[in-house]
Amino acid sequence: GQQVMQIPQYQHVQEGEDFTTYCNSSTTLSNIQWYKQRPGGHPVFLIQLVKSGEVKKQKRLTFQFGEAKKNSSLHITATQTTDVGTYFCAGPRETSGSRLTFGEGTQLTVNP
Amino acid sequence: EPEVTQTPSHQVTQMGQEVILRCVPISNHLYFYWYRQILGQKVEFLVSFYNNEISEKSEIFDDQFSVERPDGSNFTLKIRSTKLEDSAMYFCASSRDSRTGLRQYFGPGTRLTVT
């Protein structure tokens, strides 16, 4: 079945440092979605990328979707303590319905 | 922003008991989902529901699980005979329709603890 993999599993940074998490799917995705989950919280939608090679920015966050629509990345510039949480990528299969397959997530901790 | 709500926030039950987890999706949404997240692990798809029937289900969603939309607002997940390994956070989600790629709105979750 479809697998979505993320690396790294954990990332510890000092406040002000940059952070990147990478996502790879075993199958082509019609789109990729990114979610953030704070400790004890629920997944909160951040963004969706649809087009091959698409790049989107949200303030300090930059999201990329690969040309083959099988990989994606999230980059945070100058992390802040409010960025703490687990970042998940998720995507439906291109030929399937809307069920989301989530990656394992990258847990980010930011030391002040 | 519209919200999905879930009750209860925490459910403790004994192994073998039946539990019903409740969700109120966003009012104009038509597509509903249940996901679960075992502590420290990723979010896993269980089932999707559209037009009063199951649209898709995963291998996790076996005969012990069922879903229902008993009225115009609630969406429930029933586990008939709970097992220890059913302990997890259960998230309900909804989207406006069935088109692939529409944003899914997640509820706050129900923490199920099976003892």
Side-chain angles (χ1 to χ4, degrees):
Chain A
Q2 179 191 29
Q3 290 186 340
V4 177
M5 295 146 285
Q6 270 184 267
I7 56 169
Q9 189 175 2
Y10 302 98
Q11 185 77 61
H12 308 278
V13 299
Q14 285 295 128
E15 191 171 20
E17 291 182 339
D18 292 355
F19 158 76
T20 304
T21 174
Y22 300 91
C23 176
N24 284 284
S25 171
S26 59
T27 60
T28 303
L29 300 168
S30 61
N31 67 88
I32 188 93
Q33 299 177 23
W34 284 92
Y35 290 80
K36 177 182 178 181
Q37 185 176 29
R38 293 184 183 275
H42 61 281
V44 175
F45 176 86
L46 293 177
I47 207 161
Q48 176 182 282
L49 304 168
V50 179
K51 298 176 185 174
S52 169
E54 188 170 14
V55 177
K56 284 189 178 180
K57 291 192 174 185
Q58 283 181 351
K59 297 182 180 178
R60 294 179 294 104
L61 278 60
T62 301
F63 303 84
Q64 292 188 320
F65 198 12
E67 294 289 341
K69 300 183 78 173
K70 294 179 72 173
N71 62 289
S72 181
S73 65
L74 157 59
H75 179 82
I76 303 178
T77 304
T79 53
Q80 299 174 359
T81 54
T82 52
D83 295 326
V84 165
T86 301
Y87 293 85
F88 292 97
C89 63
R93 282 177 294 183
E94 183 129 61
T95 55
S96 180
S98 58
R99 65 183 277 182
L100 290 176
T101 300
F102 279 77
E104 301 285 344
T106 296
Q107 186 176 321
L108 173 66
T109 55
V110 180
N111 297 319
Chain B
E1 183 169 87
E3 291 184 342
V4 174
T5 59
Q6 290 185 244
T7 54
S9 57
H10 191 187
Q11 175 85 53
V12 181
T13 189
Q14 288 191 326
M15 195 167 53
Q17 295 297 305
E18 173 183 288
V19 293
I20 297 177
L21 310 182
R22 303 180 191 280
C23 167
V24 179
I26 293 169
S27 61
N28 62 345
H29 285 190
L30 301 176
Y31 218 68
F32 314 121
Y33 311 82
W34 283 101
Y35 292 84
R36 79 170 186 191
Q37 186 178 32
I38 295 170
L39 186 63
Q41 299 186 21
K42 67 178 179 180
V43 178
E44 299 175 290
F45 169 83
L46 291 178
V47 65
S48 57
F49 191 86
Y50 175 71
N51 202 24
N52 283 321
E53 60 183 23
I54 290 175
S55 178
E56 198 173 0
K57 60 183 181 180
S58 72
E59 58 280 359
I60 302 170
F61 194 88
D62 60 22
D63 292 344
Q64 292 299 312
F65 291 88
S66 63
V67 289
E68 193 178 29
R69 187 152 165 83
D71 53 45
S73 60
N74 290 283
F75 179 51
T76 62
L77 174 69
K78 181 193 290 186
I79 309 175
R80 287 189 186 83
S81 178
T82 50
K83 304 188 281 275
L84 294 176
E85 53 265 37
D86 293 328
S87 295
M89 281 291 287
Y90 287 81
F91 294 108
C92 174
S94 69
S95 62
R96 271 191 290 120
D97 61 41
S98 61
R99 280 177 289 160
T100 298
L102 272 188
R103 171 183 173 179
Q104 296 181 21
Y105 293 75
F106 282 76
T110 293
R111 179 172 299 283
L112 176 64
T113 303
V114 182
T115 61

